[in-house]
């Protein structure tokens, strides 16, 4: 199994956490993201993932097959891992809590993170001639306010109860990204408390953007 990713990609970061929590052995191949001539736009990579994005999970070649199977999009990848490697579970057994866990994850995945993606910010800056950072910050803070309110109904040590779930996998990279855009996260005590609980777990520490080998080093 191989994961294609980039150190600061929040979507790839989510998959790194899930792989770590489930203790799944895998290779890691860096795709250096950049505007225009980034490796995500290379002919070789686009042949693997036509969207030209990370993460991409490449499965081992099965007997009788000549090419590996691949899965893109963090939610699809993590759902696959949950089904293929069910322990430890990232979704609670109770149907309502499972749905709420997915809701919290999607609040980040579709309700916050898209507003900080490079293509959107480039459009805001270059076409609309507006402040792209202020735009991202506005939507990030709006989304985090909703997430803080929703989390209050289910939070224990983590966002849903006392074991890490899919919701926490999505929370931690988002808070990192939120700070990059200057969002005020101090107004969200539940989210920050859960972030601290996650940081104490080895899988979250190892998956952190700042721990990745492809992270640019000072000097």
């Amino acid at each position: 199994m191989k994961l294609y990713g980039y150190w600061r990609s929040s979507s790839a970061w989510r998959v790194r956490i899930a792989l770590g929590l489930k203790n799944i052995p895998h290779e890691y191949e860096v795709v250096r993201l950049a505007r225009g001539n980034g490796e995500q736009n290379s002919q070789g990579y686009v042949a693997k993932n036509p969207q030209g994005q990370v993460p991409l999970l490449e499965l081992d070649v099965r007997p009788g097959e000549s090419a590996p199977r691949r899965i893109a999009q963090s939610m699809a990848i993590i759902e696959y891992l949950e089904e293929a490697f069910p322990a430890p579970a990232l979704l609670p057994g109770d149907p309502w809590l499972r749905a709420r866990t997915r809701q919290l994850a999607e609040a980040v995945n579709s309700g916050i993170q898209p507003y900080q993606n490079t293509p959107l910010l480039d459009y805001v800056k270059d076409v609309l001639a507006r402040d792209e950072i202020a735009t991202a910050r506005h939507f990030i803070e709006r989304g985090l306010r909703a997430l803080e309110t929703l989390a209050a109904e289910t939070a224990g040590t983590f966002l849903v109860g006392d074991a890490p779930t899919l919701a926490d996998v999505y929370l931690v990279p988002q808070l990192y990204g939120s700070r990059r855009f200057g969002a005020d996260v101090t107004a969200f005590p539940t989210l920050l408390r859960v972030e601290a609980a996650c940081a104490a777990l080895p899988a979250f520490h190892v998956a952190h953007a700042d721990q990745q080998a492809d992270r640019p080093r000072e000097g």
Side-chain angles (χ1 to χ4, degrees):
M1 184 181 295
K2 179 187 294 186
L3 175 65
Y4 294 83
Y6 180 67
W7 73 279
R8 203 168 62 186
S9 162
S10 61
S11 298
W13 185 343
R14 301 161 185 166
V15 178
R16 292 197 301 263
I17 296 171
L19 288 165
L21 287 170
K22 291 179 175 291
N23 197 28
I24 301 172
H26 62 282
E27 298 177 57
Y28 183 66
E29 184 161 328
V30 175
V31 180
R32 291 173 178 80
L33 305 183
R35 293 180 175 90
N37 61 349
E39 292 179 356
Q40 78 275 16
N41 297 317
S42 69
Q43 184 176 0
Y45 186 73
V46 171
K48 296 181 177 71
N49 182 7
Q51 287 186 293
Q53 298 174 343
V54 295
L56 178 68
L57 187 69
E58 188 172 84
L59 306 180
D60 295 336
V61 178
R62 295 183 297 182
E65 295 185 351
S66 59
R69 297 163 295 158
R70 301 183 178 98
I71 308 168
Q73 298 295 334
S74 65
M75 188 66 74
I77 292 171
I78 297 172
E79 290 272 9
Y80 166 80
L81 296 175
E82 181 72 357
E83 293 174 5
F85 305 89
L90 296 181
L91 290 168
D94 176 81
W96 183 78
L97 289 176
R98 287 172 74 88
R100 285 306 294 263
T101 299
R102 287 188 171 102
Q103 179 183 350
L104 293 172
E106 283 292 358
V108 173
N109 190 48
S110 61
I112 303 177
Q113 195 257 347
Y115 292 105
Q116 64 192 48
N117 282 350
T118 299
L120 174 65
L121 299 184
D122 285 347
Y123 184 84
V124 170
K125 178 182 178 181
D126 299 335
V127 178
L128 301 181
R130 301 293 183 183
D131 186 337
E132 77 280 13
I133 302 301
T135 299
R137 186 165 55 242
H138 166 78
F139 286 105
I140 289 169
E141 291 179 349
R142 185 186 71 169
L144 291 178
R145 281 194 295 272
L147 193 62
E148 174 78 13
T149 300
L150 289 166
E153 298 182 45
T154 57
T157 303
F158 299 97
L159 285 180
V160 182
D162 293 321
T165 68
L166 181 69
D168 307 296
V169 167
Y170 276 71
L171 171 68
V172 170
Q174 180 54 57
L175 286 176
Y176 180 94
S178 301
R179 294 182 178 100
R180 282 186 58 222
F181 285 94
D184 180 11
V185 300
T186 61
F188 312 116
T190 303
L191 304 185
L192 295 180
R193 177 177 57 75
V194 170
E195 180 188 38
C198 290
L201 299 180
F204 282 87
H205 175 73
V206 171
H208 196 283
D210 291 343
Q211 300 301 317
Q212 303 314 300
D214 58 311
R215 175 183 178 270
R217 305 297 169 181
E218 303 258 342

